[in-house]
Amino acid sequence: MAQMVARAMAKGGNVSGADKATLDKLQQEFADELNNLGVRVSELEKYSDKVKWTGELRYRYISDRRDTTDAYGTKTKKKVNDDWVHFRLFPTAEVNKHWQVKARMTATYHMDQDDTGTFKMTWGMAEGNYNKLNIKVGKQIFYDNVGDGLTFDTFFSGAHIQYGSKWKISAEAGRFDLSDTYLDYVSDDEAANYQGVELSYDTGSKFYIGGSYRHFNSDAFKNAAAYNIKGKVQDDADIWGVGLGYNLDKNVKLFYAYAQNPTADDYNRAWTGQLSYKGSNKKKNSWGAWAAYRYVGSNVALVPTYDTYTKTGNKKGVELGVNWSPLDNTLTSFQYFNGKSLDTDKDTDVLFARASWFF
């Protein structure tokens, strides 16, 4: 308790009113214990922020509805609803002036089922920053920066290195978990070997252009009947992409991205065009909206970032969305997708809603 009081004293400049009075009483009550600690408040200030914690409580609802035909030829609409609650903790620990250790721990459960859920460390890594050079080692975020999440928004285990400011080049290598893709069901090979590079130029306020190439190797590609690889059995997949962004003004942005997997015959293309207006910054009453057309083939966009895109994949259509912060550190998002399945050419629509509280 004395250590807790000492840490509060170290931040005393930010305490006022009733809290300051309470702190003064605690300081008197634990005077002997504080003295026995033998640590000056200035030293506590130096180390009190060595480990920082942030977090998020997130509620997510998704309703995925697709036209189907049963064994008797009757047309029906298949509807799948999900209610999820996620509780996330993000510890960041300072190692030295260049290196930090970062992690994310996530607890998840179904709200509609009131189950006990799961708790796991989603990722953990060491990150080093040397001016324009950034290095990450460990299980880390795997995001398609060039396509703004068109092909990947997940995690991989390995190493990442990036250099540059306006011009940026990055390289990655490691192992990629297939459980978040449809390939999870077609092979005992649970992870693919992965290597990738990205090159981009970003003026920061007006124009962006980038290109990427990623290579995967796994028996999952060889065993996937739906993959249909160029008339021969192979266990490789090559995915390349490009992205273009242009800011019409400080509030309006146009973005286009295209990706292709030339090693696959079917569902091997993905592209998106999006017009965005503003965007919430988690401050009260900040908001944004967007309209987009997306064509997403499952053999190239293995884990895209889109909330209206489910694991079954293979869709094309229009997405409309809005996000809004009704209070500080609170974010809500509402999205609607309407289109067709690429494999069946049947209608599909998805309704998505999310509310997040950050701390």
Side-chain angles (χ1 to χ4, degrees):
M1 185 62 190
Q3 290 178 351
M4 294 172 63
V5 173
R7 288 177 181 270
M9 291 168 58
K11 296 181 177 294
N14 297 322
V15 180
S16 60
D19 291 335
K20 181 65 167 62
T22 301
L23 181 58
D24 290 342
K25 291 180 180 178
L26 289 171
Q27 185 177 350
Q28 294 176 12
E29 181 177 351
F30 291 94
D32 293 338
E33 288 82 355
L34 288 168
N35 184 61
N36 290 337
L37 286 176
V39 180
R40 298 194 313 274
V41 170
S42 60
E43 288 297 307
L44 287 168
E45 287 179 327
K46 180 178 179 180
Y47 293 105
S48 62
D49 291 331
K50 199 172 184 68
V51 179
K52 295 182 179 179
W53 291 83
T54 57
E56 176 192 4
L57 178 66
R58 170 184 292 191
Y59 168 74
R60 186 187 72 172
Y61 170 81
I62 186 168
S63 176
D64 187 357
R65 295 167 287 184
R66 297 185 176 219
D67 287 345
T68 61
T69 303
D70 63 21
Y72 302 99
T74 303
K75 293 183 178 181
T76 60
K77 185 174 284 290
K78 183 179 179 181
K79 184 177 180 180
V80 178
N81 293 337
D82 264 328
D83 284 275
W84 290 84
V85 172
H86 303 269
F87 180 73
R88 296 172 172 175
L89 292 173
F90 301 88
T92 300
E94 180 184 347
V95 178
N96 53 50
K97 68 177 182 178
H98 292 296
W99 284 86
Q100 293 180 321
V101 172
K102 298 180 178 181
R104 189 182 93 180
M105 292 172 282
T106 306
T108 303
Y109 71 92
H110 291 87
M111 191 173 220
D112 55 337
Q113 301 174 18
D114 193 31
D115 59 14
T116 54
T118 61
F119 183 80
K120 62 182 180 181
M121 187 173 78
T122 313
W123 51 263
M125 65 179 181
E127 180 176 10
N129 286 287
Y130 297 86
N131 196 7
K132 296 180 181 180
L133 178 66
N134 176 266
I135 304 168
K136 297 174 185 174
V137 181
K139 181 143 188 173
Q140 56 193 275
I141 296 172
F142 182 18
Y143 190 78
D144 174 15
N145 295 291
V146 166
D148 199 17
L150 174 63
T151 56
F152 294 95
D153 183 6
T154 181
F155 314 99
F156 85 100
S157 295
H160 163 100
I161 184 168
Q162 177 179 285
Y163 181 81
S165 53
K166 289 185 177 181
W167 280 101
K168 290 182 181 179
I169 184 169
S170 65
E172 298 171 330
R175 295 277 284 171
F176 169 58
D177 184 8
L178 297 171
S179 62
D180 286 334
T181 75
Y182 81 91
L183 296 166
D184 180 37
Y185 305 109
V186 300
S187 173
D188 293 331
D189 192 358
E190 297 180 352
N193 293 318
Y194 162 67
Q195 302 87 36
V197 293
E198 287 189 342
L199 176 65
S200 64
Y201 175 74
D202 188 357
T203 64
S205 61
K206 199 68 176 179
F207 181 73
Y208 172 88
I209 186 172
S212 64
Y213 170 77
R214 294 183 168 91
H215 174 77
F216 301 87
N217 177 269
S218 170
D219 284 343
F221 301 110
K222 180 173 60 179
N223 297 334
Y227 205 71
N228 189 23
I229 306 175
K230 298 291 181 183
K232 64 178 182 178
V233 175
Q234 61 177 323
D235 54 6
D236 293 320
D238 298 302
I239 297 173
W240 62 268
V242 294
L244 295 168
Y246 185 77
N247 296 327
L248 300 177
D249 59 32
K250 65 178 182 179
N251 293 322
V252 182
K253 178 180 179 180
L254 283 171
F255 183 78
Y256 172 82
Y258 177 87
Q260 187 170 9
N261 178 359
T263 55
D265 282 338
D266 298 323
Y267 318 127
N268 62 358
R269 294 183 300 119
W271 64 272
T272 182
Q274 180 167 315
L275 176 66
S276 304
Y277 177 75
K278 287 188 174 181
S280 171
N281 58 7
K282 301 176 188 176
K283 299 294 185 181
K284 183 178 179 181
N285 290 328
S286 62
W287 67 282
W290 68 92
Y293 184 88
R294 312 201 194 281
Y295 183 104
V296 186
S298 60
N299 280 333
V300 59
L302 295 182
V303 194
T305 191
Y306 311 126
D307 294 313
T308 58
Y309 181 92
T310 56
K311 191 172 181 178
T312 51
N314 277 343
K315 294 189 294 189
K316 63 179 180 179
V318 175
E319 179 184 283
L320 303 175
V322 60
N323 54 41
W324 172 54
S325 291
L327 302 167
D328 287 340
N329 297 318
T330 303
L331 179 64
T332 62
S333 180
F334 305 93
Q335 302 171 39
Y336 176 71
F337 176 90
N338 181 266
K340 290 183 178 292
S341 299
L342 297 181
D343 47 354
T344 65
D345 200 39
K346 295 184 181 297
D347 292 339
T348 176
D349 59 285
V350 178
L351 182 65
F352 176 88
R354 181 178 64 222
S356 296
W357 295 264
F358 301 92
F359 58 91

